[in-house]
Amino acid sequence: MVEAIVFLPLVGALIAGLLGHKIGDRASEIITSSLLVISAILSWIIFFPIAFGNGAEEVIKVEIMRWIEVGDLDLRWVLRVDSLTAVMLVVVSSVSSLVHIYSIGYMADDPSRSRFFAYLSLFTFAMLMLVTADNLLQLFFGWEGVGLASYLLIGFWYKRPSANAAAIKAFIVNRVGDFGFALGIFATFVLLGSIDIDMAFSAIEGAKNISISFLGAELNALTLAALLLFMGAMGKSAQFLLHTWLPDAMEGPTPVSALIHAATMVTAGVFMVARLSPIFDASTFAMSVVLVVGAITAFFAATIGLVQNDIKRVIAYSTCSQLGYMFVALGAGAYSAGIYHLFTHAFFKALLFLGAGSVIHAMHHEQDMRKMGGLRKKIPITYIMMIIGTLALTGVGIPGTSFGFAGFFSKDSIIEAAYAVGGPLGNFAFWSLVLAALFTSFYSWRLIHMTFHGSTRAEQHNYEKAHESPNIMLVPLYFLAIGSIFAGVLFYDQFFGKEKYIEAFFANSIIIVGHIIEAAHNAPTWVKWSATFAMLLGFVSAYWMYILQPSLPARLAKAMPIPYQFLLNKWYFDELYDVIFVKPTIRLGNFLWKKMDDKLIDNMIIEGLGRKVQLVTAKFVKLQSGYLYHYAFAMLIGIAALLTWEVVAGGLL
């Protein structure tokens, strides 16, 4: 069954990619989507007994083949299934199958649909390989696979320069993180003697006190390995400093955005840190770094989302911010809470992206919210779906009760866990997340108001022809809406309920830090209500500014141009990196090209010295006449010259 879940998407990718021009676009769509639906159904069949039974009592390992055997390195290609894997299988295959079905309608007019569906299925296969990895090299294979597939999908419309630039940017920024991740894998092998997950974990206790010297400083080896591994997570999951690729990834088709942001690439870093929780848990410093980076990311990405006007970019920065929440949970030691938010986030974020795609489809590919408005009556079903997604994202619910949308339970559990950490770092993370919750509510309802409410600002032609999406696009939204409503409350016990339920569910999977979970549950009432108050304040502010006083945002932007431009330009990270990295690299490249290649190599060596060597050799070539007596005469001349040299030198006297 596990083999089918993983390899069915690969089969679909190969059929659509290699035979799509023969079987046609429609057949490619049906085959790839059907195989993904089968994979999703099988994933749920594996997940339900684990979730509502006694958890994964033992790790299931399915050996595919013997892979690498070099010295002490003996790796098998093994599919590993435990509780953490089961969660990821459900998330990846379910969202991907719905994205495939949605894409049948969204990409109906694209002439390269077979290629698109091949890339989607390849993306899914790579992610499934990543989450079923039993060793770090196998995980790295899936890790790089999703990187390749994201490059292909972001740049799918390769005739657009902006799409090509965005694909290259995503690829390069991720290579920075992946360089650290590769070094982390090397360090793990050297330090723990194996990159097999179970064998490496068993050697951690004996490696806790090992230190290494670096630039005159003594560093704990496990801490260094964990930080290098986390560097990979920062790139793949778009954390602060390595986040710049994520908003530009919106250049790909909207279904790609949903797949990247909800279920595949950006969740890979969260999964990896959770999978390697024993390594991270052995280093207090590394855990603190994860906590702080996550808190900064959650806050700063939420601030940028406040003023963005592209409907997809608002949701993209929301993803970046929510990933920060997940890393705060991991850094706090509440690994199950981080995976909980990953699980619920997949449903409501995919719903929001696909809902945005439905809006864009209705508005003839217009993405600027300033050119929308009044669409509630034109596309009522999409409007309802977007409302559900927004309620889930902003965390609408009543603390202390079982009423709440999916994001309410998972997000609040992380905020409570951050408070439970205590100390300066815990307080910093807690307040960063509460402020992020305020900003999230504001920009989410701002999106709803600017898109659906008030009088329309759209071009008359676009507005008059706006219509609801076909059922092939709406049905996936219904399923995602169900998950956005119920995924939080149904699985609360397994992820963040009593410790015994969490331990039963995540047995043999991740570390359960019991005192953090207990402290989070015992947080003061005001802590439990803090995110709800922040959500309500954000909702009221957005309603006041975009419904009651619609001229107020423009007046504020004009009155405070510096903060507005700072946020609108995304804290100027792109400009900063352009000055620090891009322009110096271009200057170096131009120097090596024009000075070194053209002048030195081409002019001085090839055209200069090389040309003279060619002229000399051309004259010597003329001596090669091919006549025997010429060669005999040359030999005699040579012998005579040698004899003369010896006589003159006194050698024969």
Side-chain angles (χ1 to χ4, degrees), residues 30 45 104 138 151 159 212 248 288 303 345 386 504 520 533 551 583 621:
I30 294 173
I45 291 174
I104 294 175
Q138 187 179 334
Y151 170 80
K159 293 183 179 180
I212 61 173
D248 290 349
S288 298
T303 63
H345 176 265
M386 290 291 285
F533 285 133
S551 63
K583 288 182 177 178
V621 165

Side-chain angles (χ1 to χ4, degrees), residues 560-579:
M560 298 184 292
I562 294 178
Y564 175 72
Q565 290 297 324
F566 181 72
L567 297 180
L568 187 65
N569 288 282
K570 302 161 288 188
W571 288 32
Y572 291 100
F573 269 103
D574 285 327
E575 291 78 3
L576 182 64
Y577 287 175
D578 190 54
V579 172

